[in-house]
């Protein structure tokens, strides 16, 4: 009896790199051609080795996003800072309920320094928490609905639109008794240039060379998206794929979470392809 769309909370894994990229661009600590220390499969942060899922060598921001390089995003997250990352996450709708028109909805959790001090003590955590947050790990928890609403705002020039289930109600005579009105719940703080760039990144992650979302490609329409493989302390990795289609004129946002299944690119992305195919056939 758990509605996983609204009430299930998960670490988002690399799908959170969408937020980290936007925060870095907005803070001015990175641009599309920024390079950091190259990825040799791992990086030392505060006397601890943080690993990447692959060896990517030298990448700029677009390539790092497309290939989902953890080493790049660890460094980007530390330049942004934990509290700034948390702030942008809160302002983007994470850490609070979206307000959909059903009762069961979780807030999720966005860890800032105040939260970490309370949980671990002031000396009980370090910069590694920032590195983890930058790739959607650590104490961070989000719902699939929060991620879908975030993508919805990106596709609507930053307008945070409340999603709803009931569109209208007719009585037994077919008379309209209620129609849901579009509700705007604020605006994303990111610039139009930053949001346009992240759309380019999501397109390349599926359609570009070495993109981790290549499993979503199909012959019916182009899909833009971001994969995520969220480490799960109680089992196998959760597979994520956050996407929308058609890329050039979006009609559908598709957020897929498959619990305890493996990597997002291998497990979740192909389902988006099947859903897009079905949608286009129905049309």
């Amino acid at each position: 009896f758990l509605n996983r769309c609204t009430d299930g909370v998960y670490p988002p894994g690399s799908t959170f790199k969408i937020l980290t990229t936007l925060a870095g661009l907005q803070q001015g600590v990175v641009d599309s051609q920024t390079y950091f220390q190259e990825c040799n499969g791992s990086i030392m942060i505060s006397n601890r080795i943080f690993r990447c899922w692959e060896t990517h060598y030298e990448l700029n921001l677009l390539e790092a996003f497309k290939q989902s390089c953890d080493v790049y995003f660890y460094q980007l997250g530390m330049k942004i800072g934990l509290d700034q990352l948390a702030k942008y996450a809160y302002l983007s709708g994470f850490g609070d309920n979206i307000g959909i028109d059903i009762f069961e909805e979780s807030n999720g959790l966005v860890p800032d320094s105040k939260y970490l001090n309370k949980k671990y003590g002031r000396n009980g955590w370090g910069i590694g928490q920032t590195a983890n947050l930058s790739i959607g790990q650590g104490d961070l928890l989000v719902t699939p609905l929060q991620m879908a609403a975030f993508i919805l705002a990106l596709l609507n020039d930053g307008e945070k639109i409340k999603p709803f289930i009931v569109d209208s109600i007719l009585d037994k005579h077919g008379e309209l008794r209620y129609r849901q009105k579009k509700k705007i719940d604020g605006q994303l703080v990111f610039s139009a240039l930053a949001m346009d760039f992240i759309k380019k990144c999501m397109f390349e992650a599926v359609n570009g060379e070495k993109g981790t979302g290549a499993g979503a490609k199909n012959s019916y329409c182009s899909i833009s998206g971001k994969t995520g493989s969220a480490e799960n302390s109680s089992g196998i990795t959760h597979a994520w794929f956050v996407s929308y289609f058609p890329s050039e004129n979006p009609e559908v946002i598709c957020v897929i979470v498959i619990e305890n299944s493996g990597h997002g690119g291998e497990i979740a992305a192909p389902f988006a392809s099947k859903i897009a195919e079905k949608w286009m056939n129905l049309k």
Side-chain angles (χ1 to χ4, degrees):
F1 297 105
L2 174 67
N3 184 340
R4 284 170 169 79
C5 294
T6 62
D7 220 19
V9 290
Y10 308 89
S14 290
T15 62
F16 196 71
K17 290 172 183 173
I18 300 170
L19 188 285
T20 305
T21 300
L22 288 165
L25 292 168
Q26 195 67 24
Q27 285 290 99
V29 300
V30 70
D31 62 35
S32 62
Q33 294 304 312
T34 299
Y35 290 84
F36 294 136
Q37 177 181 326
E38 71 175 23
C39 171
N40 291 306
S42 64
I43 189 171
M44 182 74 75
I45 301 173
S46 187
N47 299 319
R48 179 184 157 197
I49 295 175
F50 282 71
R51 301 196 180 279
C52 190
W53 68 278
E54 183 66 271
T55 300
H56 295 103
Y57 303 107
E58 192 174 48
L59 301 171
N60 61 21
L61 179 58
L62 176 60
E63 288 297 322
F65 185 98
K66 184 169 73 172
Q67 299 182 43
S68 202
C69 177
D70 291 339
V71 165
Y72 189 100
F73 278 88
Y74 293 142
Q75 295 174 86
L76 176 54
M78 289 186 291
K79 283 189 173 292
I80 298 167
L82 182 107
D83 283 334
Q84 285 296 105
L85 260 180
K87 180 192 80 173
Y88 284 115
Y90 281 124
L91 291 172
S92 299
F94 299 103
D96 196 4
N97 68 61
I98 298 299
I100 197 169
D101 50 344
I102 54 177
F103 295 113
E104 49 194 38
E105 188 184 347
S106 294
N107 288 349
L109 173 64
V110 176
D112 55 13
S113 58
K114 183 178 179 182
Y115 169 84
L116 294 172
N117 286 338
K118 184 175 180 180
K119 181 175 180 178
Y120 300 108
R122 286 190 174 273
N123 298 316
W125 63 278
I127 197 169
Q129 292 282 353
T130 307
N132 275 330
L133 179 60
S134 68
I135 65 162
Q137 294 288 170
D139 290 86
L140 178 67
L141 294 171
V142 309
T143 68
L145 177 65
Q146 287 172 340
M147 189 61 75
F150 174 48
I151 301 302
L152 179 64
L154 287 175
L155 297 178
N156 283 278
D157 300 320
E159 281 189 342
K160 294 163 68 179
I161 302 169
K162 278 194 176 184
F164 56 86
I165 293 173
V166 177
D167 175 68
S168 57
I169 298 173
L170 307 179
D171 65 18
K172 64 182 180 181
H173 304 294
E175 295 289 329
L176 181 68
R177 295 300 181 185
Y178 169 82
R179 182 174 294 283
Q180 178 67 263
K181 294 180 181 178
K182 179 181 176 181
K183 295 178 182 177
I184 307 300
D185 191 26
Q187 184 84 14
L188 293 178
V189 299
F190 308 112
S191 70
L193 283 174
M195 291 190 288
D196 284 344
F197 179 73
I198 206 66
K199 292 171 196 173
K200 179 180 179 181
C201 288
M202 293 176 72
F203 179 83
E204 288 293 320
V206 176
N207 301 285
E209 186 180 358
K210 296 184 179 179
T212 59
K217 283 184 185 178
N218 67 84
S219 58
Y220 290 84
C221 69
S222 64
I223 297 177
S224 296
K226 181 71 190 79
T227 57
S229 305
E231 292 182 7
N232 168 25
S233 60
S234 58
I236 302 168
T237 300
H238 299 318
W240 278 82
F241 189 62
V242 175
S243 61
Y244 61 88
F245 59 84
S247 297
E248 58 281 356
N249 186 26
E251 298 176 353
V252 177
I253 292 166
C254 183
V255 175
I256 298 169
V257 184
I258 305 178
E259 297 177 354
N260 307 310
S261 61
H263 294 285
E266 298 171 10
I267 306 297
F271 281 95
S273 176
K274 293 179 181 180
I275 291 167
E277 179 182 340
K278 185 72 172 179
W279 172 261
M280 297 306 289
N281 280 332
L282 285 171
K283 290 189 68 181

